[in-house]
Structures are given as structure tokens and as C-alpha cells.
Amino acid sequence: MVRNMTHNSSAMSPRDSGRFITEKAKDVTISKTAVRQLAEKLLEVVDKQVQRWCSHELNPKVSDEDAVNWIFMCDVINFSFWSEDQDKKFCVKYGNGTWTGYWSLCAAVNRALKEGIPITSPKYYATVNEDTLSHLLRSDSQYEMPMIKERVQCLNEVGKILVEKYDGCFLNCIKKCDQSAQKLLQLIVTEFPCFRDVAEFEDKTVALYKRAQILIADIWACCQGEGHGKFTDIDTVTMFADYRIPQALVHFGVMQYSEALKRKLKEGHLFESGDREEVEIRGVTIWAVEATTCGPCRLKNDMGEDATRPFLF
């Protein structure tokens, strides 16, 4: 869910938030033994070729202004695609497949563009209404995309800001940030309230910034670290605190839940955004990934291999 809190310049960075939350957590812990074991598994595949971002059927194939606008628009409304019932999913048929989850959004956006609708233009979505967006994001199943009202609010908000302050183009935001991912991150969360993914935890303001960091990483990946996506400090971006990675880390034993938390999860308890357990899961996930992805570099050092290459998890 999107948080829309007043910008707090004293909020900890996502990396520092992850460490702090892990130190104070009551229901989520990290197993150092499992961290090393997973790091060893990752070391086995660290040198294998990673699929290029643009090779996915639905992603833009060039790294121009239109691609940046596409990425920004999709990441503005990149939230809440999960379904409690796996047989009742929103889906979109496009190209060579039927898409669900986040990819259903991408497919719907591409479909709208193919139909001649400038859906990725800030000038267009600054005034888009619920009926229009519902049609553009229509489902090819009987289950519609959730939270259309909230998506419209987000698009209207960021669209108006881009039109009024950045000549209707997110690329102008990037140009202001001197090839710094951190400067861009601060600009995003300062200028666009719907990206302010923060919470209060143990009397501190912790920042998780999931979608803001996804936005930066998507631009970097689309541009292969060059041109509009050249950030000299891209390694300061953390993992994106979602609900999928914790499942994988629990599977590998890296993250462990208290009996009370496991019981709530098994009972299907729905946590609210900002609940202590939700913040702990997301925050500890950040720190667990930091620990795990540092592992291959340490292991390479132990073996006398070059550990200077960045490892992206």
C-alpha cells in the first residue's frame, strides 16, 4: 500500500533503517549460518550472465525519453497486485502471453499505447479519471485491477507536479541530480508524496522507499548504466522491500519468524501498512539481503579472487 506522509528529511536511509530495524526487531531475526550458506549458493551463479532488462517482451527496447516516461508511470502505480485466491487474478492478454501481477500493468500500458492513448505522458495522466483508467487497465479475466481510485490519485498527483515544475517530463528530474542515485532518491521522495514509503519504528522514522528505489534501478537497467541511467553511486541502492523476497529468505532459513508471527501468518492475518510486524519483515529483509550479497565478495576474498565486481541480488 502507498504511504503519503509528510516528507521527513531526518528519516534514516533504507540501508540504515534495515540495520536499525534488525537490531530492534522482536519477531524477525537473521541466521548468520544460513546467510553464509546462501552466499555460497549465490557464489556458484554470480558469474553467470544475467538477462538484460530490455530483453523482456514488455519492457522498452530503447533508452530514450519515452522509455523514461514509461518506467516512471509504471512505477508510480507499481503496488498491490497480489490476490488471496490464486484462481482469481487480474490478467491482460498482450503480445505472446497472458500476464498477471506487475506484468499485467505493463501489458495494459503497452496495449493503451498501441491503441494511440498517450498513457505514459504526465500531461495526460495528470487529469485522468477513474472511469478512463479503469478502461485502459481493463482485465481480460472477470477480476479487475484493484485500487483504481488510489492509482488515479497517485497519477494525478505526480502528473500535475511534473507539468508544473519539470516541464512535463521526469527526465528533467534526472538531469538535476548530477548522476547520483541518492540525489535522485531524495528528489523523488521530496517532490512526489506517493513515493514516501516510511514508517515510525521505536520512535525513529525509518525509510524503506521500495518504489522510489525500483524506479531508479529500472532506469539504470534500461540504460545499462549509461546516458540517462548513469549513476556513479548505484551501489547505494538497496533491495526493494516487498513481500516476495522475505518468502525466499525464510525458505533458505536466512530470516526466521517468531512463533507468534508464524501463527498470525498461517491464520491469514492481514497486516496494515506501518504495523510493527510488517515493518520488521520489510526492514529485516533489507539487512538480510545486504548481509547475503556481501557474502560472495567475502568468499571471493577468502579464495583470493577478484571481489571488486558488484554483485546484484
Side-chain angles (χ1 to χ4, degrees), residues 5 8 25 57 63 102 109 118 129 157 169 171 204 216 248 260 271:
M5 301 177 69
N8 185 344
E57 177 182 345
S63 52
Y102 165 73
V109 169
N129 59 40
E157 173 188 275
C169 180
L171 185 57
K204 299 285 186 181
I216 294 169
F271 294 105

Side-chain angles (χ1 to χ4, degrees), residues 172-306:
N172 290 327
C173 297
I174 298 174
K175 291 177 179 178
K176 288 191 64 173
C177 295
D178 304 318
Q179 298 183 341
S180 169
Q182 286 304 310
K183 285 184 179 180
L184 182 56
L185 179 61
Q186 289 306 311
L187 183 150
I188 292 168
V189 300
T190 299
E191 294 282 37
F192 306 109
C194 68
F195 279 99
R196 293 173 192 162
D197 182 12
V198 299
E200 295 302 315
F201 185 82
E202 293 284 342
D203 299 321
K204 299 285 186 181
T205 301
V206 292
L208 303 171
Y209 294 157
K210 172 192 170 183
R211 289 183 301 121
Q213 293 196 111
I214 289 176
L215 171 58
I216 294 169
D218 279 347
I219 293 169
W220 175 81
C222 175
C223 300
Q224 299 182 66
E226 299 295 336
H228 304 320
K230 184 175 182 179
F231 302 115
T232 57
D233 56 350
I234 189 64
D235 60 334
T236 63
V237 173
T238 69
M239 65 79 62
F240 321 125
D242 66 356
Y243 56 90
R244 290 296 190 191
I245 300 300
Q247 295 172 350
L249 293 176
V250 169
H251 170 77
F252 285 108
V254 172
M255 278 173 49
Q256 299 176 348
Y257 295 158
S258 70
E259 290 301 319
L261 178 54
K262 285 192 286 187
R263 185 165 54 252
K264 285 186 177 182
L265 292 171
K266 288 180 179 178
E267 292 172 352
H269 179 82
L270 185 62
F271 294 105
E272 297 291 333
S273 179
D275 281 353
R276 183 182 181 97
E277 295 96 332
E278 185 248 6
V279 175
E280 285 193 13
I281 291 172
R282 298 181 73 205
V284 175
T285 297
I286 292 175
W287 196 241
V289 170
E290 289 291 308
T292 304
T293 54
C294 284
C297 290
R298 288 195 297 269
L299 291 170
K300 278 178 174 265
N301 277 329
D302 291 344
M303 296 184 296
E305 298 183 28
D306 179 19

Side-chain angles (χ1 to χ4, degrees), residues 118-186:
I119 189 173
T120 59
S121 167
K123 292 179 182 178
Y124 178 82
Y125 58 70
T127 58
V128 74
N129 59 40
E130 288 185 41
D131 289 341
T132 299
L133 190 65
S134 293
H135 172 70
L136 295 177
L137 302 183
R138 63 192 179 275
S139 177
D140 286 311
S141 72
Q142 60 180 308
Y143 307 103
E144 297 300 320
M145 181 176 286
M147 303 183 71
I148 289 293
K149 179 180 179 180
E150 290 79 4
R151 297 180 202 279
V152 168
Q153 290 173 343
C154 289
L155 288 171
N156 289 169
E157 173 188 275
V158 301
K160 289 173 183 175
I161 293 169
L162 284 176
V163 170
E164 293 171 2
K165 300 183 67 173
Y166 294 97
D167 197 27
C169 180
F170 183 70
L171 185 57
N172 290 327
C173 297
I174 298 174
K175 291 177 179 178
K176 288 191 64 173
C177 295
D178 304 318
Q179 298 183 341
S180 169
Q182 286 304 310
K183 285 184 179 180
L184 182 56
L185 179 61
Q186 289 306 311

Side-chain angles (χ1 to χ4, degrees), residues 42-89:
L42 293 175
L43 185 61
E44 297 173 2
V45 298
V46 69
D47 290 319
K48 292 185 178 180
Q49 185 176 4
V50 178
Q51 185 183 39
R52 289 176 59 191
W53 187 89
C54 63
S55 66
H56 192 284
E57 177 182 345
L58 298 178
N59 283 340
K61 300 299 180 282
V62 293
S63 52
D64 57 8
E65 181 178 325
D66 288 340
V68 170
N69 282 336
W70 185 97
I71 291 169
F72 181 75
M73 185 268 178
C74 287
D75 284 337
V76 166
I77 55 175
N78 179 8
F79 56 84
S80 298
F81 299 105
W82 64 278
S83 174
E84 291 186 47
D85 189 333
Q86 295 301 303
D87 295 324
K88 298 179 179 180
K89 286 187 175 182

